[in-house]
């Protein structure tokens, strides 16, 4: 922690800061500058509300943290990439690229089974589908709930594909975990800490979506919440951030891939469907994500997008998805990956 | 709903769209333009996933909604301003300006009672204080939980001030409602729909904070969630949005006041403490909020900010809060309000 | 300047950094931490591309600047507020609040004179009006150019009001300076450094608008460009920043007022017309700006907004402007200002 | 243009709007809805300040434009992709991927020639280098100006590589055009309309960078400025937009590639050096850009980044650039491109 004193700070103010730093268990170290003093405080600054206890003191201009506030998610703790296993069937974070595909919402037995068969045929290794849906409007379709989970399980029986589905409430988290192979935390719940703690106590891998206005650091802090409760199987999913641009629903931040790869050992997956909100842009962004080093993709596929209950505009038809997967193999190969 | 056809759309594509519109229960109306056709679809477009069912059709360039997606929160439904009453003690949305003040977190009996006495003496009509704290880091202080609620109740006993406190989990919402006079939904939970539904079923007024990257429309949709469950006592609280600027913790959007006043009958309150993140900027933003037409303020006050467990840098000391309240009276008077 | 070394940096890497720091004219100072070293480098870091010469070295994690990069605009250099005088008629930055009002564009002799008379009658001390217009579309009205300047001069003759008008090109800057009393740099040219240097060489006060995605620090750096060429008469004008919110044209950042007042001695003026883009929101934002401590306002007023050549939607009619000015006096008084 | 009337608008208000629409040369068409009327106005809405003349009328809620405001840049006008030729040597927008590489600034004869030789050896087809530099600080290195242009010309002589360099002032635009093969408009000047008009009159292809807070539509409007002056050889360059994220210098918006490809016939180039601001992220973003369909790349390469006068932290060393180019061939092949 570095404390920058104000240009005109008095000796008394500086001494107060030094005293406070020692009380907080740090070893202070003063650097006398030409216009101001700077104090280095040595010690672990994580897990304590230390910065603010100093930054509101008289004579202090600014306090700069040195360490990253996350530990378990950090590459400093664990250098090699983590592999997240789903039922000994699928392994995310390794050499093989993992594609999770399926409709936004489960709507009927026919729809989810047709989707599952189609995405499997095209090469996807996991099925996705929402049973509990977080919708901006209370008047929109809220999902089939437990009935949807049962249909997802049926689709798994038919195709053998494990599935990931969203959990939106601590009260129903265990129910969702019973049926599903992987839990998804949606962007709007990415800082719902009660929910993060809950899934941290469950025995299912968690796909954590980045919140719409979450920094990379906050994203890793939310992963840390899950991990600090005991669940180390966390997959990070970039799905677009909110910016001023309106030509796309969100702005897909693909540079998050190399940034995250530099900071954490957790696998990184990209969701270009929500990231762009437009099915025309999904395939190019899939190719780009793989080229940038993503470990996997999450893609919305619907047999009849025009009649989807949610997110039809960003869903691929099975035939387009299959064509995309075909071309994706070329990019996966260029990236040294198998698909 | 307006459907803009592509410049080169065929008659067949247009006819398909017309057919679909009729199937969805709307009356279509074609306007033949020089380069393209535009179709008006008459009917209530709220509460249905109608737009997307059309916008992914062949030949469609764009679908423009006409109506606002919220009803209960809308000024179209209810023209006069809503008054939200807290225990027949406080009324928010009327001629009197309401100030809620207190520490970010409850830390001890002494701290919360000292705070309550101080903010009451300075003229605040409500106490604020967090017992369940949503913190970015799992290693930060998470609040005193039920013990904190008890201390808030004690502070109320001593001072007579009703209090507002945050609810972060549907599982503990009823517990919080038992102790408190008003429930707060924090910015990070502003689209936690499970939580919104839950507080919509409770008998306590709700102070809903705007999410960090929430549009005004989404903000009103979250209010609509609470109202559609039966709880009409909702207060909207702007607390800063996330932008590129780093000189302040968030960018306080004071234009949200007149924008919201034009769209909804619900009261609007401003939180300059979180909005700026810096106690130096709190007083000017309080004055500005009142001048812009806010119905109330939420301000962090701490007897000893340098030792606060959270958000010390943005908390006012009691003496500064009292001075601010004194000057605020002048601006309240200029705005035609009492304090 | 603080250099944070990587956790695993070698002694050789650290020694290279120390050597480099000395070569660059700084005095290094090492703090040995438990997991990493931190190096303080004492010396003036402004005006040199020093940071980057260090931050790309092996073993360096991060370089943190300590000093602000601006000097002339800084409050550290000059503590008391600067007064910017326009023709010995108007003084901006003092106890009197200054209002500049008029149409977006000069359109005709009648229009500008009618506007000037109206804004003067309502209490404005300066006229505004565009002769050279920076328009997003090449097909939009580009302004009356020199003819417009002549009409502004005529309006000044009639009313005695000095005027401010925009300069958009170094090639015509002197022409604009000959006619006008104050030069305006628009938001889109706020980092047009060739233009900033040019107006820095002219003998007219400059109203510098903040760019749409400019941080406070960059804003002050643009002021520094003008000042470093010799022109100290700079007024900073906040006019809304670009965010994700679309309910307003821009998001007016009123917290910029106290932030700027803490960092610079230059006067701060607010433009709520561009800041909101909607005439309904202009009056409340004027009141709020004054309450927050603004030194002045820039307001668009047009005798016939529905037929304005530009920005009609955000222009006030003279009668509404007069009513606003009347109510503004109350807020000015509350803020300890005269109008 | 669609005019949405307010729910309670009177017949008189509607009739006034109809009258105004006819006066403006449009054919109005009323759709009577259940709660409000909607009016379609048929005619070319581009190049006229028509929208605002209607949207400030009584009874009007909203005016929605239908047409895109750009013509020459639009795919509606010209369906096939444009090829921009540089000296009959290089063709941008065709099957071959074009890479422009070199240092941020020209610093010396040795530096620029060494750079040119290195980037040519690695496969780049064009040299980049700044002679006139737009720098945020007036105290930073401002470029070698004409001397820098001469050195670029010398590097071209030695290597045969045509070069692109930035133009920052209409007064020196012709000088730059004399020496260089392609003109660059930087992000900070992307809405410097005086400069856009100037380069529109010159006989050199123009690489137009997207402004930091420019929407895709505004980006195309700036291209339209250049084209409307007669110069059709415009290349669009995405270089990162400004968002809340600070882990990267900007957020590189790769979805802009498919979005632009859907709206315009102009070639699209990506600059990952400015887009990320960190040399570690440049290679993955190059691969991603090509996978997403970019027509070319602009990459900063410096023989000695640690001693660069500007942007050293984002520059690749020649050996890393060569390795990137090698791997890039695989992605280019996957995308059906040659390099």
């Amino acid at each position: 922690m570095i404390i920058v004193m104000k240009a005109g700070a008095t000796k008394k103010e500086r001494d107060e800061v030094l005293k406070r730093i020692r009380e907080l268990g740090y070893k202070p170290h003063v650097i006398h500058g030409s216009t101001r003093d700077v104090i280095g405080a040595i010690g672990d600054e994580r897990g304590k509300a230390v910065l603010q206890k100093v930054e509101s003191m008289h004579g202090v201009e600014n306090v700069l943290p040195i360490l990253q506030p996350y530990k378990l998610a950090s590459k400093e703790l664990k250098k090699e990439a983590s592999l997240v296993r789903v039922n000994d069937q699928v392994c995310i974070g390794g050499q093989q690229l993992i594609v999770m595909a399926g409709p936004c919402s489960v709507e009927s037995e026919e729809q989810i089974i047709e989707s599952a068969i189609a995405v499997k045929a095209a090469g996807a290794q996991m099925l996705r589908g929402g049973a509990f849906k977080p919708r901006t409007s209370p008047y929109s379709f809220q999902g089939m709930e437990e009935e949807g989970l049962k249909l997802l399980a049926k689709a798994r029986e038919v195709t053998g594909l494990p599935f990931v589905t969203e959990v939106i409430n601590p009260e129903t988290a265990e129910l969702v975990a019973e049926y599903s192979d992987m839990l998804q935390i949606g962007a709007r719940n990415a800082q719902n800490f009660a929910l993060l703690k809950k899934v941290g106590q469950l025995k299912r891998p968690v796909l954590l979506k980045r919140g719409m206005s979450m920094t990379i650091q906050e994203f890793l802090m939310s992963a840390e919440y899950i991990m600090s409760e005991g669940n180390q199987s966390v997959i990070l999913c970039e799905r677009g951030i909110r910016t001023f641009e309106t030509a796309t629903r969100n702005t897909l931040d693909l540079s998050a891939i190399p940034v995250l790869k530099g900071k954490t050992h957790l696998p990184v997956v990209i969701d270009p469907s929500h990231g762009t909100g437009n099915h025309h842009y999904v395939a190019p962004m899939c190719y780009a994500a793989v080229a940038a080093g993503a470990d996997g993709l999450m893609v919305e596929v619907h047999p009849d997008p025009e009649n989807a209950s949610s997110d039809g505009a960003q869903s691929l038809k099975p035939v387009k998805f299959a064509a995309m997967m075909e071309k994706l193999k070329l990019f996966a190969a260029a990236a040294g990956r198998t698909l």
Side-chain angles (χ1 to χ4, degrees), chain A:
Chain A
M1 186 170 56
I2 301 293
I3 296 103
V4 183
M5 299 300 292
K6 284 188 181 154
T10 62
K11 186 178 174 308
K12 186 165 168 290
E13 287 168 344
R14 197 191 64 205
D15 289 347
E16 283 295 316
V17 172
L18 294 176
K19 191 176 151 225
R20 171 70 54 93
I21 287 169
R22 284 191 202 96
E23 284 167 10
L24 292 166
Y26 289 75
K27 221 178 104 191
H29 200 107
V30 185
I31 305 173
H32 299 287
S34 40
T35 54
R36 69 185 74 213
D37 290 344
V38 168
I39 303 168
I42 298 168
D44 187 353
E45 70 210 30
R46 290 183 286 209
K48 297 173 195 163
V50 163
L51 269 68
Q52 66 178 23
K53 291 192 182 177
V54 177
E55 73 184 354
S56 50
M57 292 184 76
H58 288 292
V60 172
E61 170 127 344
N62 210 358
V63 179
L64 307 164
I66 299 297
L67 296 182
Q68 299 293 6
Y70 42 88
K71 299 178 204 178
L72 302 171
S74 166
K75 230 177 155 171
E76 286 190 11
L77 187 86
K78 178 169 180 295
K79 290 224 179 311
E80 68 281 13
S82 285
L83 303 177
V84 174
R85 285 173 203 286
V86 187
N87 295 341
D88 297 320
Q89 270 184 286
V90 170
C91 171
I92 305 173
Q95 200 254 345
Q96 198 190 13
L97 201 68
I98 301 301
V99 179
M100 313 167 196
C104 181
S105 306
V106 181
E107 294 163 15
S108 70
E109 180 168 340
E110 196 194 346
Q111 174 247 21
I112 191 65
I113 289 180
E114 191 182 335
S115 300
I117 292 172
V119 304
K120 187 182 184 183
Q125 300 101 327
M126 283 185 73
L127 176 65
R128 61 145 288 151
F132 292 89
K133 297 297 304 171
R135 303 300 302 278
T136 307
S137 167
Y139 310 120
S140 295
F141 175 58
Q142 306 277 314
M144 293 181 74
E145 309 196 342
E146 187 168 2
E147 184 57 27
L149 295 174
K150 287 179 182 163
L151 297 180
L152 282 162
K154 204 167 274 183
R156 173 176 55 198
E157 242 178 82
V158 174
T159 58
L161 292 184
F163 71 86
V164 55
T165 195
E166 186 162 351
V167 49
I168 62 170
N169 190 336
E171 293 179 329
T172 49
E174 279 170 52
L175 179 76
V176 177
E178 267 170 48
Y179 284 95
S180 65
D181 306 289
M182 194 194 288
L183 302 173
Q184 177 180 316
I185 300 285
R188 286 173 188 77
N189 282 316
Q191 291 191 309
N192 177 345
F193 303 117
L195 189 60
L196 295 175
K197 284 182 188 172
K198 185 76 186 185
V199 300
Q201 293 153 9
L202 300 175
K203 301 265 175 271
R204 286 275 174 264
V206 178
L207 183 114
L208 174 67
K209 291 209 169 181
R210 181 181 181 184
M212 266 186 286
S213 59
M214 226 180 193
T215 61
I216 294 283
Q217 180 167 308
E218 289 168 342
F219 193 15
L220 289 169
M221 289 308 292
S222 284
E224 189 85 8
Y225 254 97
I226 299 169
M227 299 171 87
S228 69
E229 294 286 331
N231 188 344
Q232 308 303 309
S233 295
V234 177
I235 296 152
L236 302 168
C237 181
E238 155 67 26
R239 46 74 74 203
I241 56 173
R242 183 155 273 185
T243 70
F244 63 84
E245 179 59 68
T246 55
T248 42
R249 185 165 155 185
N250 294 287
T251 297
L252 189 66
D253 178 13
L254 289 180
S255 61
I257 301 169
V259 173
L260 285 168
K261 290 284 176 189
K263 294 184 189 296
T264 183
H265 51 85
L266 299 172
V268 179
V269 159
I270 300 293
D271 171 355
S273 305
H274 287 88
T276 65
N278 185 321
H279 65 96
H280 288 111
Y281 310 146
V282 170
M285 289 300 101
C286 285
Y287 308 148
V290 169
D295 296 304
L297 296 170
M298 178 170 248
V299 183
E300 287 195 1
V301 177
H302 194 286
D304 183 11
E306 294 167 19
N307 285 305
S309 300
S310 56
D311 284 348
Q314 70 194 36
S315 295
L316 292 181
K317 291 188 185 180
V319 59
K320 295 231 167 145
F321 175 68
M324 185 279 283
M325 288 292 280
E326 214 43 54
K327 199 167 165 194
L328 189 64
K329 282 176 194 158
L330 302 174
F331 292 102
R337 300 268 196 173
T338 54
L339 180 59

